[in-house]
């Protein structure tokens, strides 16, 4: 099997391999305290949303990697995370100063309020942007009816529905001539809302 030929590394080894990259993002005196709690295996699209946007904003922050328990090789989820951060155990979560924000879109909006200049903050009256953000969940591959379909009689209709969604998305992406991002030349919250879903769809 392909999987059997892959090298096996420990979580400590993986953490050490990323330490040089992570050091540039270590908080400094005077920064707004930020801690991102995200999945240890880096595959959660909702965590990807927040990570992407924090990186685009050039923020310095701490990262706590949470083991979700989906892989039997992972350590158990820390009880302190359940007690002090997210009682349901969900990720992502963001601690900003002494406040915990749990839902990914709420985290993105919090980042825009706290750090409005990098990158561009959404205009509150931009109905087009609001619709794009609201529609982003339709592209969650983990919940996609066509990708998970096992009923041959439903295949054609589900494929047509999926293609219709992608056509709508392509139209939205091409509606701003100064692209390449959803709202033009700069990354915004809209791009962050989609990035975790679309990268997984491409994979």
């Amino acid at each position: 099997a392909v999987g059997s030929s892959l090298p096996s590394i420990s979580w400590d080894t993986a953490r050490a391999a990323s330490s040089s990259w992570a050091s540039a993002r270590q908080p400094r005196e005077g920064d707004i305290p930020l801690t991102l709690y995200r999945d240890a295996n880096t595959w959660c699209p909702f965590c990807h949303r927040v990570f992407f946007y924090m990186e685009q904003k050039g923020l310095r922050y701490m990262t706590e990697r949470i083991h979700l328990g989906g892989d039997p090789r992972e350590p158990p989820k820390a009880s302190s995370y359940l007690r002090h951060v997210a009682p349901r155990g969900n990720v992502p979560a963001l601690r900003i100063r002494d406040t915990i924000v749990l839902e990914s879109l709420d985290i993105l909006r919090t980042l825009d309020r706290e750090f409005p200049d990098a990158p561009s903050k959404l205009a509150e009256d931009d109905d087009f942007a609001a619709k794009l953000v609201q529609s982003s969940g339709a592209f969650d591959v983990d919940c996609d009816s066509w990708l998970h379909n096992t009923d041959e009689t439903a295949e054609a209709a589900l494929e047509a529905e999926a293609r219709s969604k992608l056509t709508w998305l392509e139209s939205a992406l091409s509606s701003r001539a100064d692209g390449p991002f959803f709202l033009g030349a700069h990354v915004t919250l809209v791009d962050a809302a989609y990035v975790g879903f679309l990268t997984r769809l491409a994979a």
Side-chain angles (χ1 to χ4, degrees):
V2 174
S4 63
S5 65
L6 296 174
S8 177
I9 62 173
S10 68
W11 288 104
D12 288 338
T13 301
R15 187 179 301 110
S18 66
S19 60
S20 60
W21 167 85
S23 63
R25 288 290 185 244
Q26 293 299 306
R28 301 174 188 173
E29 186 176 355
D31 288 348
I32 293 176
L34 295 169
T35 301
L36 171 62
Y37 301 87
R38 65 163 304 166
D39 59 322
N41 62 18
T42 70
W43 189 245
C44 168
F46 301 98
C47 294
H48 192 168
R49 278 175 164 175
V50 178
F51 168 76
F52 170 84
Y53 209 37
M54 294 180 79
E55 289 295 303
Q56 289 297 315
K57 285 180 174 291
L59 301 178
R60 292 185 290 269
Y61 58 95
M62 300 296 292
T63 299
E64 294 286 343
R65 293 172 175 82
I66 306 302
H67 297 280
L68 302 180
D71 185 334
R73 295 169 296 181
E74 290 190 79
K77 188 177 296 181
S79 59
S80 59
Y81 183 70
L82 299 173
R83 289 197 307 270
H84 303 303
V85 181
R88 292 189 293 125
N90 54 305
V91 291
L94 179 72
R95 184 188 297 274
I96 178 165
R97 302 183 183 90
D98 294 321
T99 300
I100 299 292
V101 187
L102 292 178
E103 299 296 333
S104 60
L105 289 178
D106 290 339
I107 294 172
L108 298 182
R109 294 182 181 108
T110 298
L111 293 172
D112 255 4
R113 286 195 301 271
E114 294 283 349
F115 310 97
D117 299 326
S120 302
K121 180 182 177 181
L122 289 184
E124 294 184 3
D125 59 350
D126 191 333
D127 293 337
F128 176 66
K131 181 179 180 180
L132 285 171
V133 173
Q134 184 180 19
S135 301
S136 61
F139 296 88
D140 183 355
V141 296
D142 289 337
C143 301
D144 187 89
S145 299
W146 181 42
L147 293 177
H148 296 276
N149 178 49
T150 58
D151 180 1
E152 290 186 6
T153 63
E155 181 71 9
L158 291 174
E159 180 180 355
E161 180 184 352
R163 290 183 180 277
S164 177
K165 288 193 302 184
L166 292 171
T167 298
W168 174 86
L169 185 65
E170 183 66 26
S171 176
L173 273 167
S174 61
S175 65
R176 302 290 173 96
D178 56 341
F181 302 104
F182 274 104
L183 300 185
H186 303 287
V187 169
T188 66
L189 186 153
V190 176
D191 302 288
Y194 280 86
V195 67
F197 300 143
L198 297 186
T199 53
R200 283 151 185 79
L201 184 62

